[in-house]
Amino acid sequence: MSFFPGNDPQPGDTTAVDSIETLIIPRTSDVGGLQVRRALPTAKRRLVGPFIFFDRMGPAILRPTDALDVRPHPHIGLSTVTYLFDGNIRHRDSLGTEMVIRPGDVNLMTAGRGIVHSERSPEELRTQPLPISGLQTWLALPDHLEEIDPTFANTAAGELPVLREAGTEARVVMGTFHGAGSRVKQHAETLYVDIRLQPGGHIQIPADAAEERAIYTLDGSVEISGESFPADRLLAFRAGDEIVVSAPQGAHFMLFGGATMPSKRYVWWNFVSSSKERIEQAKEEWRSGRFDIVPGDEEEFIPLPEN
């Protein structure tokens, strides 16, 4: 997904819960005809572990004339993680990959020194209304891996471990949670878990689950230390605190985070780097056509933004 610059997400109201370090209200943008809520990055919180970008796509029903069409665009210095709850997206990239992303699958595209990709509603499905709901996140790469060769990997939904207890379901997308580990590759210590609580359910987020931890509530409201938080809020937790999340009426949320990045990261458009000079280089490479093309999607591209 392409990052269109605009106003930052907004910090929320002050919370009385000491263990919540930052509350972020996402801003809404249009990306390729789809409404998204962008929760990271923000001026007050750039990263949570390696997560430097957090987009909530939909939920929406797209008319055939409004199908998702994110034209080819470049990335460097990051991995994109696409995770759908509903709908399908055809991913094509400059490695020659063509893959229809389906609900529950994990698509991990590591840009490294540079990759180009497009994301579109599958052509064969455009004669009917198209549901779409999901997340796209970016993971900053560690300093020594920022320039690795680009790669792509798909992990099917059935390969992800699922923890179930009374009133609770936790699908481990990346990392390890409550002893269950995902096979999805990590370039830096990463935690990413899809959690659903039935009415009255609760779940413990241990202090050592990750150095930095946050949740984004997708549906319903969650309760922490007696305070309730509605959907579409990012709550970043204070390090070292055990957190218990409950949902009197039921809720669906993502837990995410990981180890603190050891150095600063810069973000400009679709480029992430520890070096401003490297971003300037990537801008010139895209402007002058030195990135690779996307086989099967060669006719269009997103121009470099002027600002």
Side-chain angles (χ1 to χ4, degrees), residues 89-93 96-102 105 107 120 152-155:
I89 297 175
R90 172 165 278 119
H91 163 100
R92 292 186 176 99
D93 64 41
T97 308
E98 181 175 340
M99 169 73 67
V100 175
I101 308 170
R102 305 185 191 282
D105 293 354
N107 268 36
R120 301 181 185 268
F152 175 87
N154 172 272
T155 303

Side-chain angles (χ1 to χ4, degrees), residues 17-164:
V17 180
D18 290 340
S19 58
I20 296 176
E21 194 171 75
T22 313
L23 188 160
I24 296 170
I25 300 172
R27 66 178 175 89
T28 301
S29 302
D30 181 271
V31 177
L34 174 66
Q35 187 179 80
V36 300
R37 296 175 180 87
R38 185 154 296 155
L40 288 176
T42 174
K44 289 188 175 289
R45 185 87 192 211
R46 307 303 291 178
L47 297 111
V48 178
F51 287 83
I52 197 166
F53 178 96
F54 194 107
D55 258 10
R56 166 65 162 130
M57 304 181 289
I61 302 292
L62 301 176
R63 296 174 297 179
T65 54
D66 295 329
L68 180 68
D69 276 307
V70 181
R71 295 166 289 160
H73 58 278
H75 291 284
I76 66 163
L78 57 84
S79 294
T80 66
V81 183
T82 306
Y83 184 69
L84 298 179
F85 307 115
D86 196 7
N88 298 273
I89 297 175
R90 172 165 278 119
H91 163 100
R92 292 186 176 99
D93 64 41
S94 51
L95 299 174
T97 308
E98 181 175 340
M99 169 73 67
V100 175
I101 308 170
R102 305 185 191 282
D105 293 354
V106 183
N107 268 36
L108 179 71
M109 184 187 76
T110 298
R113 59 179 170 76
I115 198 168
V116 182
H117 75 138
S118 64
E119 295 155 299
R120 301 181 185 268
S121 298
E123 294 82 353
E124 63 273 18
L125 300 180
R126 293 188 182 212
T127 58
Q128 56 194 356
L130 300 169
I132 189 71
S133 176
L135 296 168
Q136 189 171 85
T137 55
W138 296 355
L139 307 176
L141 293 173
D143 292 12
H144 67 290
L145 297 178
E146 287 186 289
E147 296 297 322
I148 59 175
D149 291 340
T151 61
F152 175 87
N154 172 272
T155 303
E159 298 180 62
L160 301 177
V162 181
L163 301 169
R164 292 186 176 91

